[in-house]
Amino acid sequence: MAKRIVVVACRKLRQQNLCPGDAKCLVAMMRKEGEFERYKGEDATIVGIADCGECPGTRVPASLGLLKMQLAALKETADVIHVGTCITLMCAYKDDVVNLIKEKAGVEVVEGTHKYVMPKVFP
């Protein structure tokens, strides 16, 4: 059975179109690069992309809850949550966001997605 993956991305970067279409995460998954390398030789797919819910990330459980409802309607689930590189490298609230996801997720949480260059948008 395929490993089902959800990615949690930074809402600010997504809204500002600094990561159009979540392309880096999707391509890294397709190529099994970065933190997705762990799935080499394994059937794995991204079933959804949620965002952090805005700074300071306290609404990430609601964002994940909505995605979980959508997946349930499609008779799908998530096995793993990857916290996007946009959060793990650039977010001032990274530790809080990651800990909140780990506390609420009920599945494995992996920090990071790709290893591609990130835009410099925050001082």
Side-chain angles (χ1 to χ4, degrees), residues 48-101:
I49 301 175
D51 65 45
C52 63
E54 191 118 351
C55 298
T58 55
R59 294 190 316 206
V60 74
S63 183
L64 287 171
L66 289 171
L67 179 57
K68 186 176 181 178
M69 285 174 36
Q70 290 295 317
L71 289 174
L74 297 166
K75 296 182 178 22
E76 290 290 345
T77 59
D79 303 308
V80 180
I81 295 175
H82 277 257
V83 181
T85 298
C86 49
I87 293 173
T88 61
L89 290 184
M90 300 174 68
C91 179
Y93 307 101
K94 175 227 177 214
D95 291 335
D96 294 333
V97 170
V98 169
N99 289 335
L100 189 55
I101 294 169

Side-chain angles (χ1 to χ4, degrees), residues 2 12-13 15-16 21 24 38-39 41 55 63 68 72 74 87 94 100-101 103 106-107 110 122:
K12 269 188 183 180
L13 288 179
Q15 286 179 331
Q16 294 172 5
K24 291 177 183 175
R38 67 186 64 223
Y39 306 113
C55 298
S63 183
K68 186 176 181 178
L74 297 166
I87 293 173
K94 175 227 177 214
L100 189 55
I101 294 169
E103 179 183 309
V107 296
V110 177
F122 302 115

Side-chain angles (χ1 to χ4, degrees), residues 18-30 46 49 114 116:
L18 296 172
C19 191
D22 301 298
K24 291 177 183 175
C25 289
L26 295 171
V27 169
M29 178 62 201
M30 177 186 67
I46 293 175
I49 301 175
H114 61 80
Y116 308 133

